Amino acid sequence: MNTAVSTPLTARRGGPVQGRARVRGDKSISHRALILASLTVGESTVAGLLEGEDVLHTAEAMRALGARLQRGGDGVWRIHGVGVGGFAQPAGPLDFGNSGTGCRLALGAVAGCPVTATFDGDASLRKRPMRRVLDPLERMGARVMDCAEGGRLPLTLQGARDPIPIVYESPVPSAQLKSAVLLAGLAAPGETTVIETQASRDHTERMLKHFGAKIVSRVYGERGRRITLQGRPELTPANVMVPADPSSAAFPLVAALIVPGSDLVLEAVMTNPLRTGLYATLREMGAKIETLDPRDDGGEEVADLRVTASALKGVDVPAERAPAMIDEYPVLAVAACFAEGVTRMRGLQELRVKESDRLEATAAMLRANGVTVEIEGDDLIVHGKPSVAGGGDVATHMDHRIAMAALVMGLAADNPVRIDDSAFIATSFPGFVELMRSLGCDLS
Ligand code: S3P
């Protein structure tokens, strides 16, 4: 991505958001499909892969580590894996661009192989904490040879020749952290266990099973999971069908809720219960979201969602819901601006370590558009009213979700909302602007 030139974009209020759309493949599942297929022996096929910049960086990293990846013209990828523990020494640094998921999952996968790799990324990724992942990986025998202050990128990791299985209790509800430990555990003899006191998205567990690993996930405490993986499996090639990304669907969905007269169907959206906290919250706010034709698609639940413009009211969003909607707070905050009354979103500490400090960036986005907002500790409090002034210039801080949330706001605000840079939208949602325009939205 050419980060030297920024591409501003403005959203204006226009007609209703109408029609049918299918957003692209899920980002979390796309990263995992590439990494796990690269660790099988033989050839797997992935259909519906999200070809966003984040995932393409993971694809490049897998190539550099010795897997063969071929992109078909129809968005179908064929991946020839190297087997568990079979990564080759990469010739140069691995560049993960803007992607925390690609980087942290690959750190785990490399930690279990006898290779040394340098991990790097853009200015946003270089600021993000990696220590949380490096701590358990070092316990498993990997060594950090070099890193920037606080364990940040660029960093060089020497994978373990003989990885050690561990029992790891995760201090934060992070699927990236859990997945890094499980991916390193693949190459360790015996059982690697991850305990999380609050369940985070379980795509890694589901997909490991799909590729033939022995993995058991049990309920732990009130809201947690205890996951045990049997190490050194021979992963078998499999086909993966990537469902539509609920975190991307969230943007047209909220647009349809807040633009009067809207009526939109979003097709085949993944409805894994560990990803649908936003939908539960919006329904509590009074959103009319109908679930049509719920079904199973390649090991994940999917459904079509019909959304119609709705009068929303403010709600209290409990901290326990955060893992199931962690990426959706910026756009929920936008919905909250248009709701009658106060919305309090609790326990958002993890938002501070996303592509930007998303707690501050979200608050600043709303303030720039005339909304009253407070941050109290780790809570975000939005004072909503049915009419929002807009007219603001929003700083996106290399953060795709701030960019898209601000544009959604501009579709319903009294005055246009301008973002400083739309380039980062392509990290997760290439084609966002075209898709929104096809539904009647004014973005230029
Ligand atoms: C992701 C997990 C979440 C999420 C990110 C994708 C994943 O991060 O914010 O966009 O695919 O595992 P954390 O695991 O750090 O909470």
Side-chain angles (χ1 to χ4, degrees):
M1 181 189 299
N2 184 354
T3 47
V5 185
S6 57
T7 43
L9 196 66
T10 300
R12 293 180 178 76
R13 190 152 77 183
V17 181
Q18 268 174 332
R20 295 180 74 87
R22 182 180 176 139
V23 302
R24 312 241 174 156
D26 185 66
K27 181 155 72 73
S28 294
I29 292 185
S30 295
H31 284 296
R32 286 157 173 81
L34 293 182
I35 295 172
L36 284 177
S38 296
L39 294 173
T40 65
V41 177
E43 191 177 279
S44 300
T45 302
V46 183
L49 188 89
L50 170 66
E51 293 174 336
E53 286 167 9
D54 279 10
V55 175
L56 295 177
H57 277 109
T58 294
E60 264 323 300
M62 293 302 112
R63 279 196 182 111
L65 290 162
R68 291 209 308 274
L69 287 81
Q70 270 179 302
R71 179 186 175 213
D74 46 1
V76 174
W77 287 58
R78 279 181 222 302
I79 296 141
H80 208 94
V82 295
V84 168
F87 280 155
Q89 181 68 43
L94 308 176
D95 175 11
F96 290 91
N98 193 248
S99 177
T101 306
C103 181
R104 294 193 178 114
L105 268 55
L107 279 167
V110 164
C113 299
V115 298
T116 299
T118 297
F119 292 71
D120 205 353
D122 69 13
S124 155
L125 192 56
R126 281 183 172 200
K127 283 191 207 149
R128 298 181 66 184
M130 295 296 154
R131 247 296 131 217
R132 51 173 60 187
V133 184
L134 299 176
D135 284 342
L137 297 182
E138 284 181 322
R139 274 181 58 200
M140 299 177 84
R143 276 181 60 201
V144 178
M145 311 298 284
D146 196 12
C147 64
E149 187 255 315
R152 291 184 164 72
L153 301 187
L155 73 80
T156 301
L157 188 77
Q158 185 185 63
R161 196 158 286 282
D162 294 302
I164 306 157
I166 59 170
V167 175
Y168 181 65
E169 180 157 348
S170 182
V172 274
S174 162
Q176 294 178 2
L177 180 46
K178 167 177 65 181
S179 302
V181 173
L182 291 174
L183 289 169
L186 274 175
E191 285 180 359
T192 292
T193 297
V194 179
I195 298 168
E196 44 180 13
T197 48
Q198 279 201 66
S200 64
R201 65 190 70 190
D202 59 357
H203 309 303
T204 302
E205 296 90 304
R206 290 181 188 227
M207 205 179 289
L208 276 166
K209 213 174 267 172
H210 187 64
F211 280 102
K214 282 208 182 88
I215 180 162
V216 177
S217 177
R218 295 212 166 82
V219 172
Y220 181 84
E222 234 179 285
R223 279 181 283 275
R225 297 270 167 92
R226 183 188 170 96
I227 302 132
T228 301
L229 170 73
Q230 193 63 50
R232 301 210 169 148
E234 173 143 330
L235 294 183
T236 44
N239 297 335
V240 177
M241 177 70 217
V242 184
D245 193 327
S247 300
S248 296
F251 298 101
L253 184 137
V254 168
L257 287 174
I258 61 177
V259 176
S262 298
D263 189 346
L264 173 68
V265 175
L266 291 160
E267 294 172 350
V269 180
M270 191 227 295
T271 52
N272 177 321
L274 293 169
R275 293 289 298 279
T276 48
L278 174 74
Y279 303 138
T281 304
L282 289 170
R283 284 186 172 115
E284 285 171 12
M285 294 172 82
K288 288 180 252 164
I289 306 171
E290 255 182 277
T291 303
L292 309 172
D293 190 17
R295 52 204 187 270
D296 197 90
D297 198 350
E300 293 281 357
E301 304 87 336
V302 301
D304 300 332
L305 301 177
R306 179 172 178 212
V307 198
T308 43
S310 308
L312 302 176
K313 59 176 182 3
V315 291
D316 198 308
V317 190
E320 307 82 74
R321 201 175 286 163
M325 56 179 299
I326 193 66
D327 293 333
E328 280 65 79
Y329 285 102
V331 79
L332 173 63
V334 169
C337 295
F338 294 87
E340 193 71 64
V342 176
T343 294
R344 184 175 193 124
M345 296 163 241
R346 295 178 187 270
L348 305 189
Q349 59 277 10
E350 277 297 297
L351 282 200
R352 295 192 187 274
V353 292
K354 295 296 176 188
E355 284 81 334
S356 65
D357 177 341
R358 258 187 204 157
L359 190 49
E360 289 296 343
T362 301
M365 161 178 73
L366 304 195
R367 277 189 201 116
N369 289 288
V371 178
T372 305
V373 51
E374 293 135 43
I375 295 175
E376 268 183 28
D378 295 323
D379 296 355
L380 181 68
I381 302 151
V382 178
H383 297 258
K385 45 190 173 74
S387 133
V388 170
D393 271 313
V394 174
T396 50
H397 302 286
M398 305 176 80
D399 189 330
H400 54 130
R401 300 206 195 276
I402 297 295
M404 290 185 277
L407 292 171
V408 167
M409 182 179 216
L411 299 173
D414 295 345
N415 297 288
V417 173
R418 182 177 175 275
I419 60 169
D420 61 353
D421 195 2
S422 58
F424 286 86
I425 293 174
T427 59
S428 71
F429 199 160
F432 167 80
V433 172
E434 295 74 15
L435 181 136
M436 296 301 280
R437 282 186 187 141
S438 77
L439 301 172
C441 302
D442 185 349
L443 300 176
S444 59

